Amino acid sequence: MAQTNLDELPPLSSVHVLVVDDSPEIRMLLADVLEAGGATVTVAETAEIALDRLERLRPDVLVSDLEMPGGDGYWLIGKVRDLSPERGGATPAACLTGCSEPEDRASILRAGFQYHISKPVDIRTLVGVVAILALPP
């Protein structure tokens, strides 16, 4: 992650973010950055756990890795988009992945994510995307 002054980033106060990644180090790093910006963060290590937490906790934003064992990010966003809006089906979502070819971006957006964030992630990009996704419709 690139170094940046967190004071220069958009505030994330009152934003609840669900972060999904199979890597404990990445989950902790993303949670630390988002919490430093003022967000409340819930983490999940699998897509299955994330789906349960999304339905129960109704976060404002979902940030998910794409490549995970078991259900991947495509599986997760498909399951989320199959939910009714009242159960979390309209939750704004960003995909965080090392897959950065144009065809990867296109398939990620077609699957139901609103944003594609490339790894290694830039803090400004991550916080900016979460702030945009958290805007009221």
Side-chain angles (χ1 to χ4, degrees):
M1 268 198 205
Q3 292 291 328
T4 192
N5 182 351
L6 292 177
D7 295 333
E8 299 170 1
L9 299 174
L12 298 177
S13 55
S14 75
V15 176
H16 181 194
V17 184
L18 175 58
V19 172
V20 189
D21 201 296
D22 58 315
S23 165
E25 296 83 12
I26 293 175
R27 278 195 314 272
M28 185 169 40
L29 183 61
L30 296 174
D32 288 349
V33 167
L34 294 170
E35 286 171 347
T40 300
V41 179
T42 299
V43 296
E45 57 273 11
T46 69
E48 293 86 354
I49 292 170
L51 183 61
D52 175 66
R53 290 185 181 159
L54 183 129
E55 286 190 82
R56 282 188 303 107
L57 303 175
R58 295 299 311 281
D60 301 303
V61 176
L62 168 66
V63 176
S64 177
D65 186 18
L66 185 63
E67 297 175 337
M68 299 179 284
D72 63 10
Y74 287 120
W75 179 89
L76 176 59
I77 199 64
K79 293 293 186 183
V80 169
R81 296 299 178 239
D82 285 345
L83 297 172
S84 67
E86 297 77 28
R87 291 181 55 210
T91 304
C95 180
L96 180 66
T97 179
C99 301
S100 59
E101 294 299 317
E103 57 271 14
D104 297 321
R105 288 178 186 264
S107 65
I108 286 165
L109 297 175
R110 273 194 309 271
F113 287 99
Q114 282 81 17
Y115 279 91
H116 170 278
I117 304 171
S118 295
K119 287 181 183 177
V121 66
D122 175 77
I123 291 173
R124 287 178 196 263
T125 301
L126 174 66
V127 173
V129 165
V130 169
I132 290 167
L133 288 173
L135 291 171

